Amino acid sequence: MKVLCSDVADLICNVGKLANMPSRLKAFSNNVGAFREFSDLEAEAPYIVEDCRVPSQWPPSGNVEFKNLSVKYGADQAYALKSLNVVIRPGEKIGIVGRTGAGKSTLAKTIFRLLNENVEGSVEIDGHDISKFGVGDFRPKLGIIPQESTMFRGTVKRNLDPLNEFTIEDMWAAMIKCGVAEIIQPKRKRESAGIGNDEDYDEDDDDGEKENLKAEKERWEKAGLLMRVVLFLFTRKEKTNSDDKHKKVGINMNVGQDDNRFSSGQRQLFSLCRLIMRKRKVLILDEATAEVDLETDSKMQELIRSEFGECTVLTIAHRLDTIMSSDRIIVMEKGEIAEIGPPQELIAKGGKFAELVKANEF
Ligand SMILES: Nc1ncnc2c1ncn2[C@@H]1O[C@H](COP(=O)(O)OP(=O)(O)OP(=O)(O)O)[C@@H](O)[C@H]1O
């Protein structure tokens, strides 16, 4: 009887929300549609290839070799990359430049095997042809900051460390280095919270998620059939609407996918944090600093040099300053390497790179 009364009381409280039912049902049916579309997608390439697994410490040095690589986006389309041959030595810092549509991003995509059809030739990393590996095996071993970095829904902690591999100190150290610590918790508050001693982070209070789930489970167990229908339709929505989410600070702070509290430049800085924590041997920065101001760009470049000194770094950039300290520059033109060499040598030679510098077309 007691359970029935509480069901009725809850039902009365929730009944006003029935007015929102059509929009919720529409959202639900959209989600089902999106799920169907997703589940109908063909797998891009094998995720794991059992007889060709990637060694745990791979790649050991970071030698990247493009061997006669040609790529098209469709069988009937023109080549986006044409017979590329280049060896990038371990630890080299390579700047990749060229006019729009020259093939720079396509080159980056081939290192991650984002294009698997209409590809001729190969990309080898430390002597391994990456097309032999499962994509789920080798991609996590490489680092990237893409043109547009995203944050996913959850805490800052989950965004930085979804697999729980790092300590709280690792995360704060990376955020302080990248200048994002101040965004999520001012220094004054960090100091008073004793940040760096794990004290700011309470595992049991992770996003309040555990408590919410427990309460939700109890309500569900107590509820009768009718109430379960009501709970199913409404409680998930209530949770995501909670204003409490925006009150947390520090690594417990909740962020959303299109969170307008972070500029696109700040999202790039969070991507840099992830890279600093993981230290991969091969990194691709695809216009990673395009959205930040010149001062932040130069700080990021300095950080990349100090943190990834031994790593092979391929930096695609339009800004001259970003790639001027590279060991070598690759100038792409119509899917081909038009020029390659140290920046000062290319300028002295007076060729394509010198032209780009002169016209400041980065
Ligand atoms: N998804 C796609 N489908 C079909 N063609 C594409 C696709 N992406 C790129 N291309 C084509 O491939 C060629 C190389 O494009 P890519 O994006 O690699 O150039 P980019 O040098 O990175 O240009 P930008 O500086 O504008 O980013 C271009 O001709 C482009 O039109």
Side-chain angles (χ1 to χ4, degrees), residues 92-222:
E92 248 195 311
K93 307 291 175 281
I94 300 286
I96 303 173
V97 298
R99 293 199 168 94
T100 196
K104 306 179 292 294
S105 294
T106 309
L107 188 65
K109 285 179 196 169
T110 62
I111 298 182
F112 283 85
R113 274 183 58 205
L114 295 177
L115 301 165
N116 283 294
E117 286 174 17
N118 306 301
V119 176
E120 297 154 34
S122 62
V123 180
E124 290 186 5
I125 299 182
D126 285 343
H128 288 101
D129 177 347
I130 59 168
S131 69
K132 307 281 185 260
F133 291 139
V135 289
D137 226 4
F138 88 95
R139 279 183 192 156
K141 308 274 186 193
L142 311 174
I144 185 164
I145 302 187
Q147 281 187 8
E148 279 177 35
S149 290
T150 41
M151 312 269 294
F152 38 92
R153 212 169 64 176
T155 58
V156 167
K157 180 184 184 292
R158 289 222 177 106
N159 265 273
L160 292 179
D161 182 22
L163 301 179
N164 270 325
E165 298 166 282
F166 300 95
T167 65
I168 307 300
E169 275 94 348
D170 291 335
M171 283 178 243
W172 277 110
M175 287 192 290
I176 289 167
K177 276 179 190 163
C178 295
V180 290
E182 200 63 14
I183 305 168
I184 63 160
Q185 191 165 12
K187 190 162 181 262
R188 173 176 50 81
K189 292 199 176 161
R190 291 205 304 274
E191 282 168 354
S192 63
I195 275 158
N197 299 321
D198 279 14
E199 284 165 14
D200 69 312
Y201 183 69
D202 179 357
E203 285 286 347
D204 294 333
D205 187 35
D206 183 5
D207 193 14
E209 196 80 344
K210 283 182 184 165
E211 272 176 34
N212 282 343
L213 284 175
K214 201 173 148 213
E216 205 172 279
K217 193 168 168 243
E218 279 169 9
R219 282 173 78 191
W220 182 263
E221 280 167 0
K222 276 199 293 173

Side-chain angles (χ1 to χ4, degrees), residues 256-298:
Q257 215 165 353
D258 303 309
D259 202 320
N260 55 17
R261 287 171 299 170
F262 302 101
S263 67
S264 40
Q266 287 169 335
R267 280 184 218 143
Q268 302 288 68
L269 290 170
F270 274 107
S271 287
L272 184 58
C273 283
R274 292 184 192 123
L275 283 191
I276 285 179
M277 285 159 58
R278 283 166 182 83
K279 291 264 159 53
R280 301 299 187 223
K281 273 275 159 50
V282 177
L283 304 182
I284 314 294
L285 312 178
D286 188 357
E287 302 276 8
T289 56
E291 303 286 341
V292 299
D293 57 39
L294 280 177
E295 199 187 325
T296 314
D297 184 0
S298 86

